[in-house]
Amino acid sequence: MNKERILEILDYVVKSTRADAVEAVLVGGESYLTGFANNYIHRNVGEENYELSIRVVLGKKIGASSTSDLSNDAIDAAIENAIGIAKLQKENKDFVSLPKNYPGETEFKFVSDIPDADTRASIVKVLVDESKKYGFVSSGKFEAELMQLAVKNSLGVERYMERTASTLKNIVMTDTSSGFSQDSKADYRDIDVQNILEESLEVAKMAQNPVSIEPGKYEVILTPYAVEEFLSSMKYLSLSAKNIEEGTSFMKGHFGEKMFPDLITLFDDGLNDETLKMGFDFEGVPKKKVTFIENGVVGDVVYDSFYAYKEGKEPTGHSLPQPNELGAYPMNFFVGKGGSTVEEMISHVEKGLFVQRFWYTNPMEPVTLLITGMTRDGLFLIENGKITKPVKHMRFTESILNAFNNCLEISNISKIIYEDGAVTTAPYMRIKDFNFTSATEF
């Protein structure tokens, strides 16, 4: 669907709705997937899909409705549904207003070519053919999308964005091990297929026939995949104004305080060149860079319009589609780089573990960010500055806050990791006394 038709739909909603205020958000576009397993492509699909969300305001009562049917009849029904829901709500005394129209660009295009089915299949073939040479099994997916987002409200907001993104993931399985690699880029031609091939294959080779070691505290080097997964809970438990109000954030009561070593810097920046860019949020508010931690000092949190206006502040451009239970969310999260190469970091470990990836992570205590989870797709012993042998996977139970305070070194390179619509740009981290609480038999 072109921009003109999308804005025509939003204009129809705003002009047709009889309410004190109204907001229309249309998100969707084209998405494509080439999935492969057991060295075969098993699906090669694509679709174009859109969802229209409508939020109406009656005094301090708010109702919302959505539809993927974009005919006028369906839109009229969604409008009436939203109004009917609003009438049934209790007044929200903390609600001030929908977002006003902030100055800034109204149109953003971060667009490159999308790989067609043959191109995706030819790239997957490279991965699969190489795994077959060693008798291994390759599985994964190659996803590509053209996302379109448009927001219009009755207070004058009107913004439109297009963005492309492609993600290639490869998991190589042997009889006793697995290896993983992933990359995401706005332009699929910037994905380093050879690097993905070599990383996933080499890790799978190296991880064969792992040995057991006792759980306990180890110095670790976490890859960007492991860093992204380890910190994932923090993004919805700690970094928004809603988290502060609800008391789940470690930042509450510590703004301006130095809590961590100088090398810890965390921020969100939707227009940084090292992310998949977003120009504005799902309320049409332009993106601002927000620094959560700078050189160990606690900075600020992200705001949507509800919490910003409630506190007499301005929104930062981090709203998710409304209504939602999370509040504002860092969609372009960064862990600041350090100055070390990965080789230097490994050479500094006398005895420790190299963690390729975590999975199945869950928060156990929100304020201290105590997280538990499992290693996967490669766990290696480091001895005297060298990776010496694969070890069987282990469960960890560790606080993110402790890990920050125990961080010894951060790499000078990062990787863009795109998961569930949000982007994390993460480096390698070297952390002492990382707590592994149990071992597996695999």
Side-chain angles (χ1 to χ4, degrees), residues 32 37 39-40 42 94 139 183 226-227 234 238 259 289 315 343:
Y32 303 93
N39 289 337
Y40 292 96
H42 60 86
D94 291 327
S139 303
D183 197 13
V227 170
M234 181 178 67
S238 305
M259 289 188 71
K289 180 179 178 179
E343 292 75 17

Side-chain angles (χ1 to χ4, degrees), residues 72-91:
N72 285 355
D73 287 346
I75 293 172
D76 290 342
I79 292 171
E80 290 306 311
N81 193 32
I83 291 173
I85 291 171
K87 289 178 178 177
L88 293 172
Q89 299 298 307
K90 293 181 179 178
E91 287 192 347

Side-chain angles (χ1 to χ4, degrees), residues 266-299:
L266 311 173
F267 60 96
D268 185 276
D269 187 1
L271 295 174
N272 193 296
D273 287 338
E274 294 189 65
T275 188
L276 302 175
K277 295 181 180 181
M278 285 191 73
F280 56 90
D281 67 5
F282 290 88
E283 292 185 310
V285 176
K287 288 279 186 181
K288 295 180 181 177
K289 180 179 178 179
V290 175
T291 302
F292 308 111
I293 305 291
E294 184 167 19
N295 299 327
V297 178
V298 178

